[in-house]
Amino acid sequence: MARSRTALLSVLALLAGLLSLQLTGPAPRATAAPATFTHPGVLVSRAQLDHARSKVQAGQQPWKAAYDAMMASSYASLSRTAKPRAIVECGSSSNPNNGCTDERQDAIAAYTNALAWYFTRDSRYAMKSIEIMDAWSAAITDHTNSNAPLQTGWAGSTWPRAAEIIKYTYDGGWPNTGRFATMLRNVYLPEVINGAATKNGNWELVMTEAAIGISVFIEDRASYDKAVSTYLARVPAYVYQTSDGNLPKPPANSSIDTSAEIIKYWQGQSTFTNGLSQETCRDFGHTGWGIASIADIAETSRIQGQDLYPKIQDRLRHTLGFHTSYENGTAVPSSLCDGSIKTGLGRVTEVGFNALHNRLGISMSNTQKYTEAHRPSGTDNYFNAWTTLTHANNPN
């Protein structure tokens, strides 16, 4: 009896130890990827495309003007010839520029033709999109030089938008879709998935946008989860809000952590207010790219059923309102960038404005004034393209 009791106590002790280990060990990682991916589902959904298409067919504005501008652009030309290469070499400010402009613009052309296919149902546009994507997937093997991660982010954000529309709405066939997926998985994803912690924030944000879009297309849940984790850490390190305290949050996984280092990283700005961006005092152009990627990523997450807008909407609405107020003519105080700013935000507000104002009902007078005054948005020739057409007043 004593031996049995001793054995029972040993078993109980072992179970208690295992339970303690389980309770005190690392918490299971929360997953962001959906159980089943939605397609097409990178930046634009089928419902959004159908809504915009119906508006164009009815001749309603601003969609008709946006559509006409897209179709009149060189990106929609059926005579376009892709310019792929095996190695795309991009130095600082794309110097040297060995395939950098060609790659970005061919990606935009593939997306433009995919949209043109969806709106017209003219298979020539689908085939042109496929032709461009096939040309690159047959050639490219690497991105090199100092701007390689940024260049990969720019082109890598756009390719999946085109591929999603073609693969999931065009019934004429795409024999090389697997090769294109392999290109994204092997050439693009490794370059962007680990982020760029110490670079200006627009780098890591567009790289993360590329990683999330690629992950949707190749249905890679682990990469999707990792990209979302990077995003949720980077957004608070890119847009300040007063609840952060006296200083902005430092970028994750970086050595930037002292007061002096953070101020230097924020372009020398030492006083902070709601909506200020890490790149505001650099210029509004780069800031606009960062803001665009914040909205684009949240938009894709919403389509995929795990909406990130609630986690970032306060920062997004504040930074949109902050920057558009100065674009609209608000006087610049001496406390902001020593009283001198470089405007030129770009046409990057449609996605965020539609999500926050039209879908969530948030009042955004500065952003609304700026957005409506700059319609229709075209393309910046980097990664932003045709968002008035796809997202203006789109309830889906």
Side-chain angles (χ1 to χ4, degrees):
M1 177 69 72
R3 180 177 297 173
S4 298
R5 185 170 182 272
T6 300
L8 178 60
L9 290 173
S10 296
V11 170
L12 290 174
L14 177 61
L15 290 173
L18 290 172
L19 179 61
S20 175
L21 179 64
Q22 182 179 10
L23 291 175
T24 59
R29 182 178 178 181
T31 56
T36 302
F37 284 100
T38 297
H39 303 289
V42 176
L43 185 61
V44 290
S45 67
R46 188 185 298 268
Q48 288 175 318
L49 291 169
D50 286 341
H51 174 82
R53 183 170 183 255
S54 70
K55 295 296 186 181
V56 171
Q57 290 178 326
Q60 296 183 19
Q61 301 297 357
W63 305 274
K64 183 62 166 59
Y67 170 79
D68 289 344
M70 181 185 79
M71 296 303 290
S73 75
S74 62
Y75 291 109
S77 172
L78 290 171
S79 62
R80 185 184 186 89
T81 300
K83 298 177 181 178
R85 62 175 67 205
I87 306 294
V88 174
E89 183 187 10
C90 307
S92 180
S93 300
S94 295
N95 182 22
N97 184 341
N98 294 322
C100 316
T101 301
D102 292 339
E103 180 189 29
R104 293 194 307 268
Q105 295 190 1
D106 277 350
I108 292 171
Y111 178 50
T112 302
N113 279 279
L115 289 172
W117 142 252
Y118 199 90
F119 279 75
T120 65
R121 296 302 197 268
D122 183 337
S123 63
R124 293 178 301 165
Y125 292 107
M127 290 187 289
K128 177 56 69 172
S129 182
I130 290 170
E131 176 189 312
I132 295 168
M133 291 189 285
D134 281 354
W136 278 91
S137 70
I140 191 168
T141 61
D142 200 9
H143 297 86
T144 63
N145 216 315
S146 59
N147 259 30
L150 181 60
Q151 172 73 20
T152 309
W154 283 331
S157 292
T158 310
W159 288 127
R161 301 175 198 166
E164 283 279 301
I165 294 171
I166 295 299
K167 181 175 180 179
Y168 293 101
T169 73
Y170 177 57
D171 58 7
W174 181 11
N176 291 315
T177 180
R179 188 178 74 194
F180 189 82
T182 297
M183 176 194 79
L184 293 179
R185 180 183 292 107
N186 294 341
V187 179
Y188 288 80
L189 189 58
E191 190 71 55
V192 297
I193 191 61
N194 292 316
T198 59
K199 295 289 187 179
N200 283 306
N202 81 87
W203 276 55
E204 189 162 74
L205 286 164
V206 80
M207 290 166 67
T208 303
E209 180 178 352
I212 283 180
I214 290 167
S215 297
V216 170
F217 185 70
I218 67 176
E219 298 197 332
D220 186 330
R221 289 174 177 80
S223 292
Y224 188 98
D225 289 346
K226 184 173 183 178
V228 168
S229 294
T230 300
Y231 173 75
L232 292 177
R234 172 54 82 169
V235 174
Y238 194 68
V239 176
Y240 174 83
Q241 61 183 31
T242 53
S243 59
D244 296 335
N246 293 331
L247 289 171
K249 295 181 180 296
N253 303 313
S254 79
S255 60
I256 300 169
D257 54 10
T258 69
S259 175
E261 289 170 341
I262 290 172
I263 289 171
K264 180 180 178 181
Y265 186 59
W266 282 64
Q267 323 298 325
Q269 181 70 13
S270 58
T271 58
F272 304 94
T273 188
N274 270 333
L276 184 78
S277 161
Q278 180 258 318
E279 295 187 87
T280 299
C281 294
R282 180 187 184 188
D283 60 66
F284 279 26
H286 287 89
T287 300
W289 281 345
I291 293 170
S293 286
I294 291 173
D296 291 353
I297 292 166
E299 192 72 0
T300 294
S301 77
R302 189 189 63 86
I303 295 168
Q304 294 305 324
Q306 304 240 17
D307 192 351
L308 294 175
Y309 276 117
K311 296 181 182 295
I312 58 89
Q313 69 182 45
D314 284 345
R315 293 182 194 271
L316 180 57
R317 72 181 178 90
H318 283 308
T319 200
L320 283 169
F322 179 88
H323 291 92
T324 55
S325 71
Y326 294 110
E327 292 283 351
N328 294 340
T330 296
V332 180
S334 59
S335 60
L336 177 63
C337 312
D338 293 326
S340 177
I341 58 173
K342 297 178 183 178
T343 56
L345 188 64
R347 302 184 183 192
V348 297
T349 61
E350 287 280 16
V351 175
F353 175 67
N354 183 61
L356 302 183
H357 177 71
N358 295 324
R359 287 202 299 256
L360 297 179
I362 298 171
S363 178
M364 301 175 70
S365 58
N366 283 317
T367 307
Q368 181 169 2
K369 179 180 178 180
Y370 178 84
T371 302
E372 293 177 351
H374 289 80
R375 285 175 174 165
S377 62
T379 175
D380 60 9
N381 304 311
Y382 286 86
F383 70 104
N384 294 295
W386 322 123
T387 52
T388 296
L389 176 61
T390 55
H391 287 84
N393 304 331
N394 198 318
N396 298 287

